[in-house]
Amino acid sequence: MTVTHSKQPLVVSFLQQPLKGKVNVPGDKSISHRALMLSALANGETKITGLLEGEDVMQTAQVMRALGAIIHQKAPGEWQVIGKGVGYLNEPDDVLNMGNSGTSARLLSGILSTHNIFSVVTGDCSLRKRPMRRIIEPLSQTGAQFSTRDGGRLPMAIKGVEKANPVTYRLPVASAQVKSAILLAGLNANGMTIVEEPIATRDHTENMLNHFGVKVDISTLAEKGRKICLQGPTKLVAKDVNVPGDPSSAAFLMVAGLIISGSEILIENVGLNPLRTGIIEALKMMGANLQISNKRQEGGEITGDIIVKNTTLKGVDLPASIVPSMIDEFPILSVAAAYAKGESRFRGLAELRVKESDRFNSIINMLRKNGVSVESHGDDMIIEGTFGNIPGGGEVETHMDHRLAMSASILGLVAKKTITIDDIRFIRTSFPGYFELMNSLGCGFQI
């Protein structure tokens, strides 16, 4: 990925008109990454429709090409992948650059650990700050060798192993990325791979493995935990994939429609995986007028349409148990809480400290600089709602975090004084065409 060093700031002013219209959001980012990786490991040809064509996913496509898969774009959102098969990836000629994607870096590490090849994984300056020890510890059980910079950070050299051991691991903290890395390593390991998670996390990997013909056994543990088992080595059989719209992207439209006076929006073909819809549950707890229609199932994932109508929101006390199902949505939920009536408390947000930025403190700074009262107690965040009277007037430092930048853009639409966002370049990593889509509803962003 080529990134220029000059920032692209944006000034956002109060919006005088409602948002109206019908839109589709780009394909689900998590599912897009997995679709490319698993189709590259499959035997045969896979057609992927609805693929997110943001920078992160395009980096994943390029990396899988470097490992030997044949990947072509046939039309916008339509891609053809001819896989290499599990165990047959090529050793790459160069460093594998994952751009800004922690998902790709961690999942790919699982795949590489059980292939008898040498590779080096890196990313942009943001990704190189993120910890990789959480995957190195379990993946080392395979027999693979890992070398990183101090602090367990990228670049990371991986020497995969020819006869890999299966991993048995209980996650100390709920993480879909760590779970998925272990399961993908298990595809080419000799024996039963077992992962136990304390709280059920997003299960796109399990769903897609089943879609490609891999038997994944899932059982329930106490306290909402799960045990996932996979017998290796195994084969993947190519099968077409339809990627639904990303609920994390739809969240920005949902909150905008809820807090901008007189708005009504229809968002079509959104992924409604129960382990991803915490944002809908949280907004409904705040009194949101959100309706789901045309619910259906495609490729192992539930999808549907979301109707959003402007609503007076109230504060909410969110339990820590909901965090894994909406880990990426807290920046935009904080905007809803700031606009709402009454106090909101978000509990158990430790995982936000190791996202694209320290999202926990970045959210706090975004709100405080724009006149919203917010405090932290341990890993809890407490936001005092303004009942629609956000002062604004501040500058938001995004720290290369695309979700923080988009959240700040929505905050600026309802703030009394203009809000400046220091850099919007990174929005295209997850939501290409974000400003064009929002302007089609009436936002009036001036880029």
Side-chain angles (χ1 to χ4, degrees):
M1 178 174 65
T2 302
V3 178
T4 58
H5 294 289
S6 58
K7 291 184 176 182
Q8 185 180 0
L10 177 69
V11 178
V12 186
S13 302
F14 183 86
L15 185 65
Q16 303 282 352
Q17 64 186 26
L19 303 182
K20 300 283 185 180
K22 176 174 68 174
V23 292
N24 284 269
V25 293
D28 187 286
K29 187 179 178 185
S30 296
I31 296 175
S32 293
H33 284 308
R34 288 161 171 82
L36 286 169
M37 289 184 182
L38 293 186
S39 58
L41 289 171
N43 295 306
E45 179 183 328
T46 296
K47 183 174 77 172
I48 306 172
T49 57
L51 187 79
L52 172 65
E53 292 172 354
E55 289 184 353
D56 278 2
V57 175
M58 293 300 96
Q59 286 295 124
T60 296
Q62 188 58 33
V63 164
M64 299 319 292
R65 287 190 188 102
L67 294 169
I70 298 172
I71 302 176
H72 295 297
Q73 183 185 33
K74 310 299 285 186
E78 294 186 11
W79 292 72
Q80 175 198 47
V81 181
I82 300 174
K84 287 287 292 183
V86 173
Y88 293 97
L89 295 181
N90 295 347
E91 185 165 273
D93 294 331
D94 203 349
V95 172
L96 302 174
N97 190 335
M98 306 314 303
N100 189 245
S101 178
T103 298
S104 293
R106 293 185 176 118
L107 270 60
L108 182 70
S109 298
I111 294 170
L112 294 171
S113 69
T114 56
H115 280 73
N116 188 27
I117 58 178
F118 174 80
S119 56
V120 177
V121 177
T122 191
D124 66 13
C125 60
S126 172
L127 184 58
R128 293 196 302 272
K129 296 175 184 176
R130 298 178 67 180
M132 295 294 155
R133 280 187 180 139
R134 55 175 56 189
I135 58 166
I136 292 172
E137 180 183 349
L139 292 178
S140 293
Q141 292 183 29
T142 65
Q145 298 174 20
F146 298 84
S147 297
T148 68
R149 291 191 301 135
D150 288 346
R153 288 173 166 78
L154 302 180
M156 176 169 65
I158 304 173
K159 180 63 180 77
V161 61
E162 183 174 6
K163 295 182 179 179
N165 302 315
V167 175
T168 296
Y169 193 71
R170 180 172 177 82
L171 301 180
V173 178
S175 170
Q177 292 180 1
V178 178
K179 172 183 67 175
S180 297
I182 297 169
L183 292 176
L184 294 178
L187 295 174
N188 201 35
N190 296 303
M192 183 70 74
T193 293
I194 302 171
V195 183
E196 293 185 358
E197 53 183 357
I199 300 173
T201 63
R202 59 180 66 177
D203 58 356
H204 301 308
T205 300
E206 297 95 307
N207 291 342
M208 194 165 290
L209 285 171
N210 280 321
H211 185 67
F212 279 92
V214 177
K215 189 176 188 318
V216 181
D217 292 317
I218 301 171
S219 54
T220 303
L221 301 175
E223 301 297 324
K224 298 184 178 180
R226 299 195 313 166
K227 179 179 179 180
I228 305 104
C229 301
L230 184 155
Q231 178 69 42
T234 187
K235 293 182 178 180
L236 279 68
V237 179
K239 192 172 183 181
D240 293 348
V241 177
N242 183 27
V243 180
D246 196 325
S248 296
S249 296
F252 299 100
L253 283 75
M254 286 190 272
V255 170
L258 289 169
I259 66 178
I260 295 173
S261 180
S263 296
E264 184 172 347
I265 304 169
L266 172 62
I267 314 169
E268 296 183 309
N269 191 39
V270 181
L272 297 174
N273 184 305
L275 296 172
R276 288 287 301 282
T277 52
I279 182 64
I280 295 175
E281 183 181 344
L283 289 171
K284 284 188 173 180
M285 289 167 66
M286 298 177 77
N289 187 346
L290 294 173
Q291 301 171 33
I292 308 296
S293 64
N294 194 23
K295 208 169 183 179
R296 57 204 182 274
Q297 188 158 4
E298 295 182 12
E301 296 286 346
I302 301 170
T303 63
D305 304 335
I306 304 175
I307 302 166
V308 185
K309 295 181 181 179
N310 172 225
T311 313
T312 300
L313 301 177
K314 61 181 187 296
V316 65
D317 189 334
L318 281 184
S321 59
I322 201 173
V323 172
S325 66
M326 56 174 297
I327 190 64
D328 288 327
E329 285 74 76
F330 279 100
I332 189 59
L333 186 66
S334 75
V335 174
Y339 195 79
K341 178 182 180 182
E343 180 184 281
S344 290
R345 183 167 189 144
F346 305 156
R347 300 180 183 269
L349 302 186
E351 185 70 8
L352 288 186
R353 301 185 189 276
V354 291
K355 299 299 286 182
E356 281 81 342
S357 63
D358 178 352
R359 274 193 186 151
F360 189 93
N361 284 316
S362 294
I363 291 170
I364 289 174
N365 291 335
M366 173 179 71
L367 297 181
R368 280 182 180 165
K369 286 187 176 182
N370 288 287
V372 179
S373 177
V374 54
E375 301 294 336
S376 63
H377 290 280
D379 292 324
D380 293 0
M381 186 181 299
I382 302 166
I383 300 170
E384 188 62 44
T386 64
F387 202 9
N389 292 293
I390 295 172
E395 179 176 359
V396 177
E397 295 179 64
T398 57
H399 304 286
M400 298 173 64
D401 189 331
H402 46 110
R403 300 197 194 280
L404 197 73
M406 287 184 279
S407 299
S409 74
I410 304 301
L411 185 70
L413 296 176
V414 294
K416 303 306 178 187
K417 296 180 181 177
T418 58
I419 287 178
T420 301
I421 306 168
D422 73 339
D423 198 357
I424 60 170
R425 290 173 299 157
F426 307 101
I427 288 174
R428 60 181 177 263
T429 65
S430 68
F431 201 146
Y434 168 74
F435 290 108
E436 293 84 352
L437 185 148
M438 297 301 288
N439 283 348
S440 74
L441 296 171
C443 282
F445 289 118
Q446 297 292 322
I447 307 301

